[in-house]
Amino acid sequence: MSTSSSSSSQNGRKSTASAESSTAVARSQKSQEDIEDGQDRQFGASNRAPFSNYERFMAWWDPWRVTDGRYDKFESFDLESFPNGYPRLAGLMDSDINTRLYRRFGLVRNRLLLHKQDQIAELAEKLANIDKEDERTHPERLSCRRYDEELGDESQRSHILQSLDLALKEYDALLLREHAITSIPRPTTRNHRAIFDWVYNNKPLVRDEYEYLYNERDFLLLGNQQDDWLRSFQERIWSLSHIPFFKRIMSSKSQTSDSYSTYTSNEKANLIIKLFLAFAMTTLLMLPVVLLYVLLFSIGVKLAVLLLFVFAFSMALLLMTNAKRHEAFAATAAYAAVLVVFLANLPVAPVQ
């Protein structure tokens, strides 16, 4: 009995060890498959090989392209998903960098500055009167600060200086805040009208709480904006979005049921601006070279062409960028030098 029991026990251990070994092998194979699958997903591999020419081209063009649907649940912007009221207005203002308009409260800020300024002026006048009085009656108080402070409550000068210190701290804080606020650009008329028209048409707020939009000159536009000229040009591009052709080109993935509103893509508008700038820069650099080389005019006409394009280059530099004066001067001088060197190496046309 004991031998049979021992044998069966050994067989049981062998079968248990065999089962554990099979489980370990299966687990190892599963882990290896998970690792390979994770690597495939990391490098954007699909579950099947591309079979069409388009898929083969896209796999060659963009090997990191993901086709396993991992991005399908990403949320797109939908303004109507926000509750009507302040949440929807906040969603609209957060949807684009050109819609973040907020009140500046310039009148109130300057009123506070004037109020604090007059307080300091009044304290300074009191201090001057005390100094004149002590100069006439107690000149030693003006010569020894320690003696003046030892008088305690009898010395009004110490109390006034403490009040001046506190008032100046508050005044300086107001000045620095006002300086920081004034450095924030103002919105253009189109920016303000876009927000106002949306609020006026959709009425997300009660009338008393959206009347702040009537203060057109008292707004700030947050965010890093384009240069002034480019911002105006970009807004003119956006204004073309009501035309069906431009609407198809510039349409955004975000849509709305509001018939008064149209969503345009900032990326597409910026692409149009970049194409325009590329064309303008190429024209300003190459057109004068072509004209000077092709036109068989006298040297006086060629100099006139050179001066015309140098002037056009400097105006484009000043209007289309935020270049400083010395930077614009240096760039214009370099541009003119290139054209002058090219003109000097051209053959002179014979005088008729």
Side-chain angles (χ1 to χ4, degrees):
M1 292 292 291
S2 61
T3 304
S4 174
S5 175
S6 175
S7 176
S8 62
S9 176
Q10 290 178 358
N11 292 334
R13 283 197 297 270
K14 290 180 179 179
S15 62
T16 302
S18 177
E20 290 178 353
S21 176
S22 300
T23 304
V25 171
R27 190 176 302 163
S28 176
Q29 293 177 351
K30 179 64 175 174
S31 300
Q32 184 66 24
E33 291 176 358
D34 291 340
I35 292 173
E36 293 177 356
D37 182 66
Q39 290 177 348
D40 290 342
R41 290 178 179 273
Q42 178 183 0
F43 291 102
S46 177
N47 293 330
R48 59 178 176 81
F51 60 88
S52 65
N53 293 330
Y54 173 76
E55 290 184 350
R56 290 193 186 95
F57 173 77
M58 292 305 298
W60 170 81
W61 178 261
D62 187 8
W64 295 90
R65 185 168 175 262
V66 177
T67 58
D68 55 7
R70 71 181 69 178
Y71 303 142
D72 293 345
K73 293 185 179 180
F74 280 9
E75 296 181 358
S76 59
F77 177 77
D78 183 13
L79 189 60
E80 277 71 23
S81 64
F82 297 95
N84 192 30
Y86 275 105
R88 187 169 297 180
L89 178 59
L92 173 71
M93 300 180 75
D94 185 57
S95 64
D96 190 82
I97 194 173
N98 294 297
T99 55
R100 299 179 183 182
L101 278 72
Y102 296 95
R103 284 286 303 273
R104 178 178 177 270
F105 295 105
L107 179 64
V108 178
R109 292 176 183 278
N110 285 279
R111 180 68 183 273
L112 289 174
L113 279 171
L114 291 172
H115 181 74
K116 188 60 63 176
Q117 175 182 273
D118 187 66
Q119 284 184 342
I120 296 173
E122 183 181 8
L123 290 172
E125 184 178 358
K126 289 181 179 180
L127 181 62
N129 292 333
I130 292 175
D131 289 341
K132 291 180 180 179
E133 180 68 20
D134 286 343
E135 183 182 18
R136 185 172 55 85
T137 58
H138 302 88
E140 65 276 5
R141 293 182 179 180
L142 298 177
S143 302
C144 184
R145 178 190 61 81
R146 299 176 184 178
Y147 173 74
D148 185 64
E149 291 182 353
E150 286 176 357
L151 296 176
D153 295 336
E154 296 183 7
S155 177
Q156 299 180 6
R157 185 179 292 102
S158 298
H159 298 294
I160 292 178
L161 288 174
Q162 292 177 0
S163 300
L164 275 172
D165 184 35
L166 295 176
L168 283 172
K169 287 181 180 178
E170 296 176 358
Y171 182 70
D172 293 343
L174 287 173
L175 279 179
L176 293 175
R177 285 192 317 194
E178 178 65 12
H179 177 72
I181 291 298
T182 53
S183 63
I184 302 176
R186 296 177 182 269
T188 62
T189 302
R190 291 178 185 270
N191 293 138
H192 177 265
R193 294 289 172 86
I195 292 292
F196 178 82
D197 291 341
W198 186 89
V199 172
Y200 187 84
N201 293 328
N202 294 275
K203 300 294 189 300
L205 308 178
V206 296
R207 181 179 179 84
D208 291 341
E209 296 191 22
Y210 75 75
E211 285 186 342
Y212 76 93
L213 290 169
Y214 289 109
N215 298 281
E216 182 179 2
R217 296 178 55 84
D218 193 42
F219 279 88
L220 302 173
L221 184 62
L222 300 183
N224 294 325
Q225 306 296 322
Q226 298 277 3
D227 297 341
D228 293 338
W229 188 88
L230 291 182
R231 283 177 56 196
S232 177
F233 181 69
Q234 189 179 46
E235 291 169 1
R236 291 185 182 276
I237 292 177
W238 286 333
S239 65
L240 299 175
S241 60
H242 67 282
I243 302 175
F245 173 75
F246 289 99
K247 187 175 183 179
R248 287 195 301 269
I249 295 177
M250 302 171 56
S251 61
S252 174
K253 294 182 180 179
S254 302
Q255 299 298 330
T256 178
S257 58
D258 181 14
S259 58
Y260 299 101
S261 302
T262 302
Y263 285 109
T264 57
S265 174
N266 283 333
E267 290 79 9
K268 294 179 180 179
N270 290 332
L271 177 60
I272 295 176
I273 290 178
K274 291 177 181 178
L275 291 175
F276 171 80
L277 291 178
F279 176 77
M281 289 186 293
T282 304
T283 301
L284 287 174
L285 290 174
M286 297 306 300
L287 185 58
V289 173
V290 173
L291 291 178
L292 293 175
Y293 185 81
V294 173
L295 296 179
L296 299 177
F297 291 115
S298 63
I299 190 64
V301 176
K302 292 184 178 182
L303 285 174
V305 172
L306 187 147
L307 290 175
L308 178 63
F309 276 94
V310 170
F311 177 77
F313 178 84
S314 61
M315 290 300 297
L317 195 64
L318 293 173
L319 293 176
M320 298 168 62
T321 68
N322 282 330
K324 298 179 180 179
R325 292 186 180 92
H326 65 277
E327 295 172 344
F329 181 81
T332 304
Y335 177 79
V338 171
L339 293 183
V340 168
V341 171
F342 178 79
L343 180 61
N345 293 320
L346 288 177
V348 180
V351 181
Q352 300 294 335

